[in-house]
Amino acid sequence: MAALPAQSGHWAYRPPERPAVPEVERSAWLQNPIDAFVLRRMESEGLEPAPRADTARLLRRVHLDLVGLPPSVEDVLAFEADPSDAAWETVVDRLLASPRFGEHQARAWLDLARYADSNGFQADQLRDSWAYRDWVIDALNADMPFDQFTIEQIAGDLLPDASLDQQIATGFHRTVTCNVEAGVHPEANRVQQVFDRVNTTATVWLGTTMECAQCHDHKYDPFTQRDYYRLFAFFNNTPVEVRNPFGDAGVRYDFYGPKLDLPLSAEQQRERDGLEARRAGLEAERARVLATIDAEHETWLRDLAAAVRSDAGFEVLEVTGFESTGGEDHAILDDGSVLIGGRVPDTTTYRIETRTARNGITAFRLETLTHPELPGTGPGRGDVERPNFILNELGVEVLPQRGGGPAPASAVELTAARADHAQAGWEIEKAIDGKLDTGWAIGGGFFRDHSAVFETAVPVGDEGGSRIVFTLDQNYGRGRTIGRVRLSAFTGDAALLELPADVRRILVAEERSSADLERLRAYHRERHPGALRLAREIESIDRRIAAIEPATTLVMVEEASARDTFVMRRGDYLRPGDEVTPGTPGLLHPFRDEWPRNRLGLARWLVSPDNPLVARVTVNRAWSQLF
């Protein structure tokens, strides 16, 4: 390794000292000590100061410098009417107190922090960093001392009893760009993030291109590669910040933690409080309903048991006519089902006329059945490997009895619908929603029978028998039509349709155990319309409360045990060299024994009055921004 040039005597690496204010010829021009240095240089160059700008221009300059916005016409007219020093100080004080001050000044600092709301690579996923942005604005508006401003951003999480704001401040080093492409190794990504943190810290506070020393000793500044990796060690205790949510077959990584939950916003808290108050009211009402249910339980049990014992179940409807707009063949089988054959049309509508001796019908059942003659055994007709169907809409009408005069058919309103299986996005309810671009499908349930039950809004049918027509619209296309269908009718209490098998068994049993009685009592409570409505409302409110999630922000955390750090040959993390411990460049001021060897100690080293660089770099940056 080549010896470094002796640069320790360079003025930049010596702590700044207050110089004597120089003598100048035009001392009346001076308004503060800094003016003397400016004027001395101008006099040495034979230059004269520019004349004082007019009042409107001065006002515009100070507005743009402090809040980034021009003054209003009213502000200009008021200042031109009174351009006194007192008025000027009032303007400056007002601008410094404006919330726009912190917003404007924060722009330059957030650029240094490489602030962004997304990763910066490939998918460029969004990430939550806005709380850090707001922290910077608030800190500048509060005139936070620069040493505190520094310490909280570098190591706020390591301060004793760190507050929420101090943890949020560490978002400074969570704004690193992050590559989530699947070919990037998580550890390689983490090392690149640590490189960024070292390099950014050196640039922002030391004004030094420290990244040159990632691969070799710095060519122009007195910093070695060992110096670099000793700084690297301060930041090397961070967790891996990407994960593959899809396992080994994943095509990308997700950028995720660590994160910190933020308090709910005032609006969120108001919404949550309102929902919780509403929930408490519903719980009280539900308790009253349950008390009533318990009082009525014996009567309910007697009536339900009688209904189950007399329940006739579903009756298969006799098919008396079949028509199809697709021109298919059909056959009525012995079990009352209709088997459709012949050509497979693109779309079709079945019209199936049936009859029954029943009246007071409260539900219909539609079965789609398999058959050896169907493609793949069905129950759909369009594809051997995927015999799906899509029932876009089911219509039901009760026809007048023959010879009963010209009365029109009566449409039946279908309400609740349920099926033993449905394809995602094609649920059974969509077969009765009045829309021909939705419907019921059975993707994932091919090659087996399926059934759906539809309740009627009111009991239907005529005394002495009923003629009922079913219309099955199937216009999805590509032959997604039903191959075999059977229709049935149910009379009686529609609640029996949902009766669980174990409850039905207990109701018809000659003897009941204490466990059986408790099961019946629980079922009564579960299925009572009033209690069920309240339970659903409470569940809905619980979902809404759960959806009010706190916002999060990215923060720094330390791993429980420190990682070993090595000099990386040529900057390659796969080629470790000598092991190093956390430390700072030997050329600069010493690292005190009372400082911990972590990010908090590094932050205190940065803002130490002995540091020769931070004050120069920070003031020069402010001068550059203002002038």
Side-chain angles (χ1 to χ4, degrees):
M1 184 181 296
L4 290 170
Q7 298 188 33
S8 58
H10 192 283
W11 61 265
Y13 301 110
R14 295 196 299 268
E17 299 177 358
R18 183 180 295 275
V21 177
E23 298 290 336
V24 294
E25 296 177 7
R26 299 180 56 175
S27 58
W29 183 81
L30 305 180
Q31 296 190 39
N32 58 65
I34 294 175
D35 287 349
F37 292 90
V38 176
L39 184 58
R40 183 183 63 174
R41 179 60 183 273
M42 294 175 69
E43 289 177 345
S44 69
E45 299 289 342
L47 301 174
E48 290 190 3
R52 179 183 175 91
D54 60 74
T55 53
R57 193 180 304 272
L58 283 174
L59 193 66
R60 179 180 175 83
R61 287 175 181 171
V62 75
H63 272 76
L64 293 178
D65 278 344
L66 295 184
V67 298
L69 299 168
S72 67
V73 173
E74 292 76 14
D75 289 336
V76 174
L77 294 176
F79 187 59
E80 285 183 330
D82 179 16
S84 65
D85 290 345
W88 174 258
E89 290 183 7
T90 299
V91 168
V92 172
D93 288 343
R94 174 173 56 80
L95 295 176
L96 291 174
S98 167
R100 304 290 88 77
F101 171 80
E103 293 171 5
H104 179 54
Q105 305 304 318
R107 291 191 307 112
W109 186 262
L110 292 172
D111 283 345
L112 296 173
R114 64 277 196 238
Y115 173 80
D117 293 307
S118 60
N119 289 347
F121 273 114
Q122 201 217 19
D124 203 26
Q125 298 158 314
L126 295 177
R127 60 191 187 189
D128 294 326
S129 294
W130 56 264
Y132 166 70
R133 175 203 65 200
D134 289 358
W135 179 90
V136 173
I137 293 171
D138 293 342
L140 292 170
N141 277 329
D143 198 21
M144 180 181 286
F146 188 74
D147 57 350
Q148 180 184 351
F149 186 70
T150 295
I151 290 170
E152 293 192 6
Q153 289 182 89
I154 298 259
D157 59 307
L158 299 179
L159 290 169
D161 299 320
S163 68
L164 177 68
D165 283 345
Q166 287 169 335
Q167 295 176 72
I168 291 172
T170 64
F172 176 90
H173 271 318
R174 290 306 310 284
T175 53
V176 182
T177 52
C178 180
N179 190 350
V180 295
E181 190 270 325
V184 175
H185 192 282
E187 177 61 12
N189 200 79
R190 190 193 69 82
V191 169
Q192 289 298 325
Q193 290 176 309
V194 178
F195 280 151
D196 184 284
R197 287 164 185 149
V198 176
N199 299 342
T200 300
T201 300
T203 299
V204 172
W205 279 277
L206 303 179
T208 298
T209 55
M210 193 64 75
E211 60 266 33
C212 296
Q214 283 178 215
C215 303
H216 49 72
D217 291 342
H218 204 296
K219 290 185 176 182
Y220 307 109
D221 291 328
F223 301 111
T224 66
Q225 193 180 19
R226 182 179 177 82
D227 287 335
Y228 184 89
Y229 284 98
R230 295 195 73 194
L231 287 173
F232 185 99
F234 284 110
F235 296 98
N236 199 29
N237 298 326
T238 53
V240 172
E241 297 174 19
V242 296
R243 64 180 171 186
N244 192 330
F246 308 103
D248 295 336
V251 296
R252 64 169 173 79
Y253 284 90
D254 271 349
F255 179 74
Y256 67 108
K259 295 179 179 179
L260 178 70
D261 285 346
L262 300 173
L264 296 179
S265 68
E267 181 180 353
Q268 285 178 311
Q269 192 61 56
R270 282 194 299 272
E271 182 182 3
R272 186 177 190 133
D273 291 344
L275 289 172
E276 289 178 344
R278 172 63 178 154
R279 190 188 192 285
L282 291 172
E283 284 285 12
E285 184 179 351
R286 183 168 179 266
R288 291 191 294 271
V289 170
L290 291 177
T292 302
I293 292 173
D294 290 341
E296 300 171 348
H297 180 66
E298 293 303 324
T299 302
W300 170 87
L301 183 56
R302 184 180 61 251
D303 292 345
L304 182 62
V308 170
R309 290 191 178 99
S310 63
D311 176 23
F314 279 98
E315 177 194 63
V316 176
L317 298 174
E318 179 187 356
V319 176
T320 57
F322 179 90
E323 297 176 1
S324 169
T325 60
E328 301 97 319
D329 298 332
H330 77 282
I332 300 174
L333 306 185
D334 292 342
D335 64 356
S337 64
V338 180
L339 177 65
I340 293 89
R343 63 181 294 273
V344 179
D346 187 46
T347 63
T348 190
T349 297
Y350 301 158
R351 185 180 185 278
I352 305 174
E353 184 173 337
T354 66
R355 67 183 174 194
T356 178
R358 291 190 177 191
N359 60 63
I361 296 169
T362 54
F364 295 102
R365 183 175 66 197
L366 182 151
E367 296 174 273
T368 61
L369 307 173
T370 57
H371 194 276
E373 295 182 12
L374 296 175
T377 73
R381 300 189 66 208
D383 191 319
V384 172
E385 295 182 356
R386 298 175 56 82
N388 206 348
F389 65 80
I390 296 178
L391 175 61
N392 295 96
E393 198 68 19
L394 172 68
V396 183
E397 292 180 313
V398 177
L399 300 180
Q401 292 291 349
R402 288 188 174 89
S410 174
V412 176
E413 180 184 355
L414 301 176
T415 55
R418 50 192 171 275
D420 65 339
H421 174 78
Q423 180 177 331
W426 297 88
E427 293 78 14
I428 185 61
E429 298 85 355
K430 296 178 179 178
I432 56 171
D433 63 359
K435 303 175 183 177
L436 290 177
D437 57 351
T438 63
W440 175 42
I442 57 162
F446 309 134
F447 321 118
R448 60 178 186 263
D449 299 342
H450 293 290
S451 66
V453 174
F454 305 86
E455 294 182 27
T456 63
V458 296
V460 299
D462 297 321
E463 292 288 343
S466 305
R467 298 168 59 212
I468 304 171
V469 173
F470 297 85
T471 303
L472 284 67
D473 290 311
Q474 302 157 83
N475 18 343
Y476 178 81
R478 293 185 284 175
R480 298 291 194 267
T481 61
I482 299 171
R484 182 182 171 203
V485 61
R486 183 167 60 197
L487 298 158
S488 305
F490 178 86
T491 55
D493 186 355
L496 297 180
L497 295 170
E498 293 186 351
L499 200 64
D502 65 325
V503 172
R504 182 180 289 273
R505 175 188 58 76
I506 295 170
L507 287 168
V508 299
E510 294 296 330
E511 296 183 359
R512 299 169 186 154
S513 67
S514 58
D516 290 341
L517 294 174
E518 185 56 36
R519 174 70 177 105
L520 292 173
R521 186 175 297 277
Y523 180 74
H524 186 191
R525 284 171 160 236
E526 290 169 5
R527 301 309 303 171
H528 186 277
L532 187 61
R533 174 185 62 79
L534 290 167
R536 287 171 176 168
E537 286 190 52
I538 291 170
E539 288 175 4
S540 174
I541 288 177
D542 285 342
R543 287 193 296 271
R544 291 172 63 187
I545 291 174
I548 304 175
E549 295 182 350
T552 62
T553 191
L554 301 173
V555 294
M556 292 288 283
V557 298
E558 291 286 276
E559 291 281 59
S561 57
R563 281 189 173 86
D564 295 330
T565 301
F566 302 88
V567 173
M568 298 179 190
R569 296 187 180 96
R570 305 295 297 172
D572 184 354
Y573 80 103
L574 296 176
R575 299 177 60 201
D578 296 337
E579 186 172 358
V580 294
T581 57
T584 51
L587 174 73
L588 300 176
H589 58 297
F591 195 97
R592 297 180 189 173
D593 292 338
E594 64 265 27
W595 294 333
R597 293 278 171 171
N598 57 20
R599 285 182 284 113
L600 181 56
L602 176 64
R604 298 199 186 284
W605 176 85
L606 284 172
V607 297
S608 167
D610 298 330
N611 192 317
L613 293 175
V614 171
R616 289 189 171 99
V617 170
T618 305
V619 170
N620 282 342
R621 189 173 286 122
W623 276 69
S624 174
Q625 186 176 342
L626 291 172
F627 296 104

